[in-house]
Amino acid sequence: MTSPAATHLDVHGREPDGVWSAPGRVNLIGEHTDYNGGLALPIALPHRTVAAASARSDEVLRLHSVQAGETVEVSLSDVGPGVPEGWTAYVAGVLWALREDGFAVRGMDVTVDSEVPLGAGLSSSAALECAVGAAASDLFGLDLLDGDVARARLAAACVRAENEVAGAATGGMDQSASLLCREGSALLLDCRSGGTEHVPFDLAAHGLVLLVTDTRAAHALNDGQYEERRRACERAADELGVGTLREVPVGGLGSALDRLSGDELRRRTRHVVTEIARVEEAVAALRAGDLEEVGRLFAASHASLRDDYEVSCEELDVSVDAALSAGALGARMTGGGFGGSSIALVPEGSVAAAEESVRAAFAERGWTAPRCFAVTAGPPAARDA
Ligand code: ADP
Ligand code: MG
């Protein structure tokens, strides 16, 4: 990555006032639970999106992205639901949301560069929002990086940017992970209460590695399918007379399933309720240092997402099976599904074999070569310079 400050000078003709960055994330377990008021357990990736920025005294946002390969100007007063379109929605949307929240923000020159692969289910969108949100917080004196309460408020603005301006109906896990995670820990996120806890996640101490595979499978169906799953969960909650599926205890799952109107709703509900229970079990296992159990929970989560929730795809299934056959303790798809990435819990000595196994399985099928990388739990969004 060329220095973002140098690119900024080149593109905007002046030095940035500062440089901020925010991480992508992988969710260890707890998939499609956030919009059900459930639990999720992401870590921040070591991969980050960097934003060099300078404040302007007018209302203009002048935005450059190395990945998009373009510079775009937007007037802050034009920003709102659906405007602008494309990648700038994620940036302009954050400033719009902060203004809606009563903060005095003005225009900015921004230069973005990213190590987070775009569209790989590793949350480049939240990394972009949170890097820009961090910049805006400091440039306009909003103090939204000072402590977890302030950071949660910034995360909420980033969620609004994504939901309302970019028009992507996602839950709040990605932005919370990018702003609230800590190095060496996973973030237990309670999407009903908004509460968070930090759970030790130091695989090296156990001789293990978390291997991420970006399958590079296009997830064209993602949008409509995601909406459809959300609606199914709402319908199931309605039929059960609860606000969200979080209210269904795993011990009462059998009787809840008996009361639902069809097989599809039953399978969707079974995924959500058992997945929330698996997050609780995974947290207990991590705290107890029982990584074998974490591996088993990964495998159970994948099977539930594949068979009951039906959001996996061939590439994800093949990457998971290939990692398991090469000695992984457990593996699962991560993120929304229909493409994107999988994760595997792999003994240090088997990492090369696991990567090779995944690569070979993809090559055999004539698929685009996947990208594999080992990750640790990185730090949250911060000012870098
Ligand atoms: P994910 O968040 O899993 O990477 P999304 O579809 O949610 O996938 O977000 C990807 C979109 O976010 C891209 O298509 C682009 O519009 C925007 N984006 C993310 N990072 C950047 C970047 N560095 N430069 C420009 N656009 C970006
Ligand atoms: Mg995203």
Side-chain angles (χ1 to χ4, degrees), residues 123 125 162 174:
S123 201
S125 58
E162 183 141 351
D174 303 349

Side-chain angles (χ1 to χ4, degrees), residues 122-265:
L122 301 175
S123 201
S124 69
S125 58
L128 175 59
E129 291 148 13
C130 296
V132 170
S137 172
D138 283 353
L139 288 180
F140 302 112
L142 313 182
D143 295 331
L144 292 174
L145 295 177
D146 300 345
D148 283 358
V149 172
R151 281 172 173 259
R153 194 164 175 196
L154 180 55
C158 293
V159 173
R160 279 196 79 182
E162 183 141 351
N163 288 170
E164 296 178 44
V165 179
T170 59
M173 169 177 53
D174 303 349
Q175 294 80 3
S176 296
S178 192
L179 282 156
L180 296 169
C181 275
R182 293 197 188 145
E183 195 165 10
S185 294
L187 182 76
L188 173 61
L189 200 62
D190 184 328
C191 302
R192 177 168 60 183
S193 68
T196 54
E197 278 178 55
H198 301 281
V199 180
F201 188 70
D202 178 10
L203 292 184
H206 299 274
L208 294 169
V209 166
L210 190 71
L211 188 69
V212 175
T213 297
D214 169 9
T215 63
R216 304 177 78 183
H219 46 163
L221 284 174
N222 199 354
D223 287 351
Q225 293 283 334
Y226 182 89
E227 278 301 323
E228 195 275 331
R229 294 302 181 281
R230 280 187 84 133
R231 277 197 302 276
C233 291
E234 281 162 18
R235 235 178 318 130
D238 270 356
E239 289 188 13
L240 295 171
V242 293
T244 66
L245 292 180
R246 175 70 184 278
E247 318 296 321
V248 180
V250 70
L253 180 60
S255 71
L257 295 182
D258 288 344
R259 283 184 285 138
L260 287 170
S261 64
D263 183 53
E264 186 178 303
L265 279 196

Side-chain angles (χ1 to χ4, degrees), residues 65 67 87 90 112 114 117-125 128 162:
S65 156
Q67 282 65 43
W87 70 272
Y90 297 93
V112 174
S114 183
L118 270 60
L122 301 175
S123 201
S124 69
S125 58
L128 175 59
E162 183 141 351

Side-chain angles (χ1 to χ4, degrees), residues 46-87:
H47 305 71
R48 300 174 78 86
T49 295
V50 180
S54 29
R56 297 176 62 111
S57 50
D58 60 15
E59 296 267 292
V60 173
L61 297 172
R62 195 159 185 275
L63 311 173
H64 178 82
S65 156
V66 173
Q67 282 65 43
E70 61 174 358
T71 308
V72 180
E73 272 192 27
V74 186
S75 172
L76 198 42
S77 50
D78 292 338
V79 180
V83 183
E85 289 184 355
W87 70 272

